Amino acid sequence: MKGLTLYIIGILLVSSFLASCEEKGLLVNANNVSYISFEKNMMTDTTGVSFKFYNEGEDATIYLGVTVSGKVQDKDLEFTISVDPSRTTLPASQYELPQRCVVKAGVLTGEIPVTLKYYNKLDEEAQLLTLKVDENGEVSQGISAYTRAIISVSNLLFAPEWWTRNDGDVDKPYNNVEEWYLGIYSEKKYLMFLDELKKDGVVFDGKDITVLRKYSLRLKNTLKDYEERGETVYEDDDKKIPMVVKVAG
């Protein structure tokens, strides 16, 4: 009788734990299902894409990171993604999704390519494209906060995440790009940096430090050329703050 009582108590405790997890949006794994989560928390992180970063007439192809938990696959994991229409304002004609997505066998991370197309409305305001993983018998969506990838698309200029994030800590915040490479952010400096990238057809996503250093130096040399001609380039033409690129070299 005592054993039966403990068994019942155990079931009740597990049921309570599962219910609590569901209420908090935590993932309760089943061993026969692969759970796919997007890399970014949709509550706090939106992927910003601006056609200002690309050459005129060029489509923008981005890669969304995903992670896999639950069942460990002994073969390539194939799945599809689709649009969440309740959170999407970008017309269907202005994007292309892959027909199938693949995470290689034994690998717990992957990338999904998404192609975005320019149209005139993006000059005036950003449009949203929100994506989700399609569930089937072997694949399910992951933790609730990571079940959607939200992409903001525009032809407007904005400070990129890699130039504004905190690379330090709460007590001593700082940004590596600002401290060691490009210096303080200004719209004019960013446009000039993009011009240097476009000369070689490069799109910088903030990940490759070698690319950051190379084109920061290119911009620094461009500013030197202006100085040698007796011209000063300002961060802000109104405030007359001379533009400074900090990268050594």
Side-chain angles (χ1 to χ4, degrees):
M1 186 67 180
K2 182 178 179 181
L4 178 60
T5 301
L6 291 174
Y7 176 73
I8 293 172
I9 291 174
I11 291 177
L12 291 173
L13 288 173
V14 170
S15 299
S16 175
F17 171 75
L18 294 177
S20 175
C21 286
E22 289 177 357
E23 289 175 1
K24 295 177 181 178
L26 301 177
L27 184 63
V28 182
N29 283 338
N31 292 330
N32 61 343
V33 177
S34 293
Y35 297 90
I36 300 177
S37 301
F38 288 103
E39 193 173 55
K40 291 186 176 182
N41 185 330
M42 69 176 182
M43 308 302 292
T44 58
D45 295 318
T46 297
T47 299
V49 179
S50 172
F51 280 91
K52 289 287 188 185
F53 306 164
Y54 298 83
N55 293 319
E56 186 175 350
E58 181 182 3
D59 291 341
T61 298
I62 63 170
Y63 294 85
L64 301 174
V66 294
T67 60
V68 182
S69 59
K71 181 181 179 181
V72 178
Q73 293 288 335
D74 56 3
K75 60 180 181 180
D76 289 354
L77 176 62
E78 296 189 7
F79 61 98
T80 59
I81 59 172
S82 58
V83 172
D84 180 347
S86 67
R87 307 182 189 188
T88 294
T89 57
L90 188 69
S93 59
Q94 303 312 123
Y95 59 84
E96 290 180 4
L97 306 181
Q99 292 186 347
R100 68 186 184 101
C101 309
V102 179
V103 175
K104 293 296 184 181
V107 179
L108 300 180
T109 61
E111 290 186 323
I112 299 172
V114 176
T115 299
L116 306 166
K117 300 175 180 295
Y118 167 81
Y119 73 125
N120 291 339
K121 191 172 182 179
L122 299 177
D123 293 339
E124 304 167 4
E125 60 181 356
Q127 301 295 312
L128 293 180
L129 173 62
T130 302
L131 304 175
K132 61 185 178 68
V133 172
D134 298 324
E135 297 186 313
N136 59 43
E138 293 186 346
V139 170
S140 186
Q141 296 174 1
I143 299 172
S144 59
Y146 297 84
T147 58
R148 298 291 186 273
I150 302 176
I151 306 167
S152 175
V153 190
S154 75
N155 195 34
L156 307 171
L157 195 67
F158 52 84
E161 182 270 340
W162 48 264
W163 204 342
T164 58
R165 69 185 172 220
N166 179 16
D167 294 315
D169 53 42
V170 175
D171 297 327
K172 191 177 180 181
Y174 70 91
N175 174 265
N176 286 330
V177 178
E178 181 175 300
E179 291 289 329
W180 305 106
Y181 296 98
L182 289 169
I184 62 171
Y185 174 82
S186 70
E187 184 172 302
K188 188 173 181 179
K189 182 188 291 181
Y190 193 22
L191 284 170
M192 292 183 70
F193 179 69
L194 291 174
D195 284 342
E196 298 295 339
L197 293 170
K198 288 177 181 179
K199 289 175 184 177
D200 291 341
V202 174
V203 176
F204 180 58
D205 61 5
K207 295 179 181 179
D208 193 332
I209 296 299
T210 303
V211 172
L212 174 61
R213 174 174 169 75
K214 176 179 178 178
Y215 290 94
S216 295
L217 281 170
R218 288 265 192 98
L219 178 54
K220 186 174 185 177
N221 289 332
T222 295
L223 294 177
K224 287 181 180 178
D225 290 341
Y226 277 102
E227 289 177 7
E228 290 174 358
R229 297 197 297 266
E231 302 176 38
T232 301
V233 179
Y234 298 105
E235 301 276 6
D236 186 315
D237 290 331
D238 293 331
K239 296 181 180 179
K240 300 298 183 183
I241 301 173
M243 187 176 292
V244 174
V245 174
K246 288 188 174 182
V247 63

